Amino acid sequence: MEQSTIVLKGDICYSKSLGELTTLEQGFLVCEDGLVAGVYERLPERFAGVPLQDFGHQLIIPGLVDLHVHAPQYSYRGMHMDLELLDWLNHYTFPEEAKYTDTDYARKRYPVFVDDLRRSATTRACIFATVHVPATEILMDLLERSGLRTMVGKVNMDRNAPDYLCEESAEVSAQETVEWVKDCRKRYRNTKPILTPRFTPSCTDALMENLKMIQMRYGLPLQSHLSENLSEIEWVKELCPQAEFYGDAYDRFGLFGVDCPTVMAHCVYSDEREIRRMKENGVFIAHCPESNMNVSSGIAPVRRFLEEGLHVGLGSDVAGGADLSIFTAMMHAIQASKLRWRLVDESLRPLSAAEAFYLGTKGGGAFFGKVGSFEPGYEFDAVVLDDSRIADPREYKILDRLERFIYLHQEQDVKAKYVAGRELQK
Ligand code: GUN
Ligand code: FE
């Protein structure tokens, strides 16, 4: 038997689809060559000699996926919640991000973010850095060493930003992006570059055109923000009068799905045309409910997206969201959906715990490929959770335990973590 085969035993829980949660008490989860071989009630004979880790009655679930988080904003999470998006960016975010011009500052701050992400239940993340290439590579060096699998973006912004942060021109922004992408290819295996135009107000047409060329040349995915806040949407209408709707302002440049794998954060105010285009183009939505509350943006119609069969995952959106935990994002997704149902639209029923769990695992995981489930052939991302602090685990069914964990978890409850078959050290 190959060394790379491992067996975990415990109370197993994973999603096959939005409405289908599989649970198995005292089950066996087998990893072969970094992929899930299967989940079994009884261990098949052929795995009899394989090293087995018995986690007793701890929960074993797929690693969680954060589809949208800002690493440089980690230092001020949980503060500055008094302003809406555009003022919040100008007053708090841009001045803080500008500090990453200084690599010493990045070397002090980014390890805090990476250590906390490594200790959390998250195994995959799409991360915004800042416009600065050296600081972005400091972040990527740390992530590469962490064992996590991430996509990281050097941010592009060549307009509507203060002089101290705005890039000199579209050409300079594009040129630095190309050099950074080439460097990433040499330096990293598990930390991939993702194009990151901050949002339409921050990027000129010339920059978008340049980014499309870079996207095609290097076959890159893309992340950005979409239809988050009402003032932002009005501003995009002024800036791009030709665009049919906000998402069209990206699509006109070929930066909205199809041959450009795309994840757009928020989509709080996406109208029917935007929803249809996201569906046609296969755009992923990063639903960030805590951020939408903190920055007073609104409540995204997640049920509507799911009914349409769109790709949806969860994002912490730190520092719009205060908490890096995707369990917390699940809780907020459920709570926000209930408020929306009660106050806005009773035709869109709230999310269940199992549905929120799907979004935080397989829903977002699909952006990384076969990730976020324990179906055979999925990449072996698993976390082991000790919920004995909050209950006698044997008294509740796994679904009930999972639901309680979403609401009551603490970071120290994560007992082991595997990413693509490799166990991360604590
Ligand atoms: N839109 C453009 N930039 C940002 C950001 O940093 N955070 C959030 N929440 N929205 C944005
Ligand atoms: Fe964001």
Side-chain angles (χ1 to χ4, degrees):
M1 191 64 64
E2 279 187 41
Q3 278 284 299
S4 58
T5 306
I6 47 173
V7 180
L8 311 188
K9 185 176 181 217
D11 291 347
I12 296 169
C13 179
Y14 62 100
S15 291
K16 285 189 178 149
S17 64
L18 181 67
E20 200 183 352
L21 188 82
T22 302
T23 61
L24 182 59
E25 285 183 23
Q26 296 304 285
F28 298 88
L29 169 64
V30 180
C31 166
E32 271 183 308
D33 298 325
L35 303 181
V36 176
V39 171
Y40 307 96
E41 267 177 64
R42 254 171 260 102
L43 190 65
E45 196 54 41
R46 67 179 195 282
F47 300 122
V50 168
L52 182 144
Q53 279 260 41
D54 189 343
F55 287 105
H57 278 280
Q58 296 183 58
L59 292 168
I60 306 176
I61 64 164
L64 306 187
V65 179
D66 189 342
L67 271 191
H68 185 81
V69 57
H70 298 260
Q73 299 176 16
Y74 197 62
S75 54
Y76 69 89
R77 71 196 188 285
M79 323 160 61
H80 304 327
M81 305 297 193
D82 56 326
L83 297 175
E84 284 190 53
L85 178 67
L86 300 176
D87 290 332
W88 179 82
L89 288 172
N90 282 316
H91 278 83
Y92 305 120
T93 305
F94 294 158
E96 178 62 21
E97 291 195 7
K99 294 181 186 163
Y100 287 78
T101 316
D102 175 2
T103 49
D104 285 341
Y105 191 81
R107 268 191 211 95
K108 280 201 202 96
R109 298 297 154 135
Y110 278 147
V112 181
F113 168 77
V114 174
D115 280 349
D116 284 0
L117 192 64
R118 188 173 54 81
R119 276 195 289 266
S120 76
T122 298
T123 53
R124 311 260 170 170
C126 290
I127 302 170
F128 279 55
T130 61
V131 293
H132 317 95
V133 173
T136 301
E137 292 190 353
I138 288 168
L139 172 65
M140 293 177 86
D141 289 344
L142 292 162
L143 286 163
E144 185 74 8
R145 259 181 268 141
S146 75
L148 299 167
R149 298 246 168 145
T150 58
M151 298 188 203
V152 179
K154 171 232 169 308
V155 172
N156 299 99
M157 38 199 304
D158 71 336
R159 68 172 174 187
N160 295 320
D163 287 347
Y164 59 76
L165 191 60
C166 198
E167 296 179 287
E168 202 180 300
S169 66
E171 291 68 34
V172 168
S173 178
Q175 199 180 333
E176 292 199 352
T177 303
V178 169
E179 275 155 31
W180 164 69
V181 169
K182 284 191 192 158
D183 216 25
C184 289
R185 301 202 145 184
K186 282 185 250 148
R187 283 165 78 141
Y188 310 116
R189 275 185 53 228
N190 299 327
T191 315
K192 307 275 187 210
I194 180 167
L195 285 182
T196 307
R198 178 169 215 119
F199 64 159
T200 294
S202 299
C203 301
T204 60
D205 288 2
L207 178 53
M208 292 298 205
E209 281 163 12
N210 273 290
L211 291 180
K212 180 59 189 174
M213 285 192 283
I214 298 168
Q215 190 275 321
M216 287 196 299
R217 169 96 175 74
Y218 297 96
L220 295 169
L222 178 136
Q223 61 184 352
S224 193
H225 296 92
L226 179 63
S227 298
E228 175 179 5
N229 164 284
L230 291 170
S231 311
E232 170 210 19
I233 293 166
E234 282 309 306
W235 197 19
V236 170
K237 277 189 197 145
E238 284 168 31
L239 290 166
C240 307
Q242 334 78 305
E244 289 172 45
F245 47 90
Y246 190 163
D248 188 48
Y250 296 106
D251 203 16
R252 298 166 71 81
F253 295 100
L255 299 173
F256 201 61
V258 194
D259 298 324
C260 171
T262 297
V263 58
M264 285 287 165
H266 306 301
C267 306
V268 173
Y269 295 101
S270 295
D271 63 12
E272 289 306 313
R273 293 170 305 172
E274 191 160 277
I275 290 173
R276 198 174 334 120
R277 190 76 63 85
M278 288 193 283
K279 182 175 176 167
E280 284 164 4
N281 291 11
V283 170
F284 277 69
I285 297 169
H287 175 42
C288 307
E290 194 197 353
S291 168
N292 296 157
M293 292 188 269
N294 289 339
V295 196
S296 307
S297 295
I299 310 172
V302 179
R303 174 68 65 196
R304 177 87 192 87
F305 301 149
L306 296 173
E307 282 173 350
E308 280 295 331
L310 296 185
H311 299 291
V312 187
L314 296 177
S316 64
D317 194 27
V318 164
D323 199 327
L324 196 57
S325 163
I326 293 300
F327 283 121
T328 302
M330 292 178 198
M331 175 182 80
H332 286 134
I334 297 164
Q335 292 170 331
S337 72
K338 288 179 180 169
L339 287 178
R340 197 175 196 288
W341 173 65
R342 179 58 69 219
L343 301 175
V344 184
D345 182 353
E346 292 211 336
S347 75
L348 296 178
R349 70 178 194 288
L351 297 176
S352 67
E355 288 173 328
F357 179 73
Y358 167 86
L359 296 179
T361 54
K362 191 173 179 177
F367 194 64
F368 287 82
K370 288 178 99 172
V371 168
S373 182
F374 290 150
E375 292 158 276
Y378 269 67
E379 292 191 55
F380 190 88
D381 284 18
V383 290
V384 179
L385 310 170
D386 182 1
D387 63 344
S388 59
R389 188 180 51 78
I390 51 176
D392 177 346
R394 270 144 293 189
E395 283 179 12
Y396 295 107
K397 295 220 173 317
I398 289 177
L399 174 58
D400 296 330
R401 288 168 57 195
L402 179 70
E403 183 171 7
R404 297 191 87 214
F405 200 83
I406 288 172
Y407 289 87
L408 300 171
H409 70 284
Q410 289 180 0
E411 186 191 81
Q412 70 263 27
D413 300 332
V414 177
K415 296 299 176 191
K417 184 162 166 179
Y418 300 79
V419 184
R422 228 187 95 212
E423 182 168 8
L424 300 199
Q425 297 313 309
K426 285 242 116 194

